[in-house]
Amino acid sequence: MTGPGGPAGNSGLILEALVTTLDPGGAMHLAPMGPHLDPADPGRLLLLPYPDSDTGRNLRRHPEGVVHVTDDVLLLARAAVGPVEPPPPAFPARHVRGFVLAGACRYHEFRVTAVDDSGPRVRLAAEVVHAGRLRDFFGFNRAKHAVVEAAILATRTAFLPAEEIAAEYGRLAVLVAKTGGPAEKEAFALLEAHVEKAKASRQK
Ligand SMILES: Cc1cc2nc3c(=O)[nH]c(=O)nc-3n(C[C@H](O)[C@H](O)[C@H](O)COP(=O)(O)O)c2cc1C
């Protein structure tokens, strides 16, 4: 690891991305993750998976994967709350053993170069071995960003107070209703249903 923030960690810039790794059977595993990237140093990235995440476990077993830049927040929301069935279209990565999401805007095939598990979150430093572009990014949209926020909250129902999540969802719902299209509305609705279900199971 280099420097206090680790490789690519010093910029503090986090990309909310979709990451594919290989599961124990060699199939594609998909999860939203927020790697740290430094725009001035696009050849490196830093992943911070929770130790209990499948992505973290997969990368310890097979230290290669693909980070995707996408504006498909419906896929991001679906991946945040469980396995996406059937899996989205993907093709084999070129320079690592892994999969590229065919619907992504850009992708970065990476290989883990250093593992630091001295802290509460494992820090996986990686080098980008190949990057590709598939289509244009939609651009800023408040509903898309609201869905990203809602998806992050949906993955934290086990430890965030239900009232805090409900208050945030109330605020985010306005942005989705005002500025979203059908995909953003569907994504938000499925996240709301997930959060409701999690709340009900905690109250049991
Ligand atoms: C936009 C977004 C970014 C996320 N970033 C991370 C992250 O950097 N590290 C992490 O462990 N979990 C992150 N999460 C939560 C994981 O996606 C979630 O815990 C998921 O269940 C982990 O999936 P896995 O166990 O299949 O790997 C993020 C979720 C979202 C929606």
Side-chain angles (χ1 to χ4, degrees), residues 3 7 30 37 48 56 58 142 169:
L30 172 62
L37 295 170
L48 290 94
N58 289 346
R142 297 175 79 197
Y169 266 59

Side-chain angles (χ1 to χ4, degrees), residues 13-175:
L13 208 51
I14 294 176
L15 171 73
E16 306 306 348
L18 283 174
V19 175
T20 55
T21 51
L22 287 189
D23 76 10
M28 177 175 79
H29 178 82
L30 172 62
M33 287 279 149
H36 293 228
L37 295 170
D38 183 345
D41 186 10
R44 293 191 297 169
L45 50 91
L46 180 70
L47 287 144
L48 290 94
Y50 288 115
D52 62 346
S53 70
D54 286 331
T55 299
R57 273 192 289 266
N58 289 346
L59 286 173
R60 302 300 285 266
R61 199 181 320 103
H62 173 66
E64 296 179 331
V66 184
V67 165
H68 301 81
V69 174
T70 185
D71 51 20
D72 183 350
V73 293
L74 178 55
L75 180 59
L76 182 138
R78 293 173 68 208
V81 299
V84 178
E85 287 299 340
F91 57 87
R94 252 210 272 170
H95 294 263
V96 299
R97 202 150 58 81
F99 292 95
V100 177
L101 297 172
C105 300
R106 296 198 332 260
Y107 62 95
H108 302 266
E109 299 180 13
F110 68 86
R111 185 170 297 125
V112 173
T113 51
V115 178
D116 175 2
D117 48 17
S118 58
R121 272 175 92 176
V122 187
R123 297 166 68 90
L124 302 176
E127 62 173 333
V128 174
V129 294
H130 176 69
R133 285 167 198 270
L134 299 171
R135 67 174 177 88
D136 287 344
F137 183 72
F138 177 79
F140 293 138
N141 170 261
R142 297 175 79 197
K144 287 186 187 290
H145 287 88
V147 171
V148 173
E149 289 301 324
I152 291 172
L153 290 166
T155 63
R156 297 182 178 171
T157 52
F159 53 88
L160 280 183
E163 310 74 57
E164 194 178 315
I165 295 180
E168 276 292 305
Y169 266 59
R171 194 178 64 78
L172 297 169
V174 179
L175 299 176

